[in-house]
Amino acid sequence: MSDNLNADQELVSDIVACQLVIKQLLDVIEIIAPAEVREKMSAQLKAIDFTSHPAAADPVTLRGIQKAIALIELKFTPQDETH
């Protein structure tokens, strides 16, 4: 970690690190959490009222939340249900 990165490179490396951690967390959740817990995770994110929530003012945060919902649903939806 002695390489000097510019700000954009550092941001990209942060994003990659977060993606790797998220993948590991989803893998653990898939193993240890019952289906009800997984469904609740997605439902809690979907329940955010974007008309009054501060995240709605930031399109990057809003898009991140949308992607999080999609990732959870994609990860935990059985493949035969996606067709």
Side-chain angles (χ1 to χ4, degrees):
M1 296 189 40
S2 61
D3 294 340
N4 291 329
L5 303 177
N6 66 36
D8 287 341
Q9 292 170 321
E10 194 64 43
L11 180 60
V12 170
S13 73
D14 289 350
I15 292 169
V16 170
C18 288
Q19 289 172 327
L20 292 170
V21 170
I22 290 167
K23 182 185 179 331
Q24 293 299 309
L25 290 170
L26 288 173
D27 289 346
V28 169
I29 291 167
E30 184 176 27
I31 293 168
I32 66 171
E36 301 83 33
V37 172
R38 293 182 248 155
E39 290 170 9
K40 185 176 180 181
M41 291 169 54
S42 179
Q44 285 176 332
L45 290 173
K46 287 180 182 177
I48 296 172
D49 179 9
F50 289 108
T51 59
S52 63
H53 197 279
D58 178 20
V60 174
T61 302
L62 177 59
R63 182 68 178 137
I65 292 168
Q66 292 168 339
K67 285 183 176 184
I69 293 167
L71 281 171
I72 290 169
E73 289 180 341
L74 179 66
K75 178 71 176 179
F76 299 126
T77 301
Q79 292 302 314
D80 57 330
E81 289 183 22
T82 58
H83 299 294

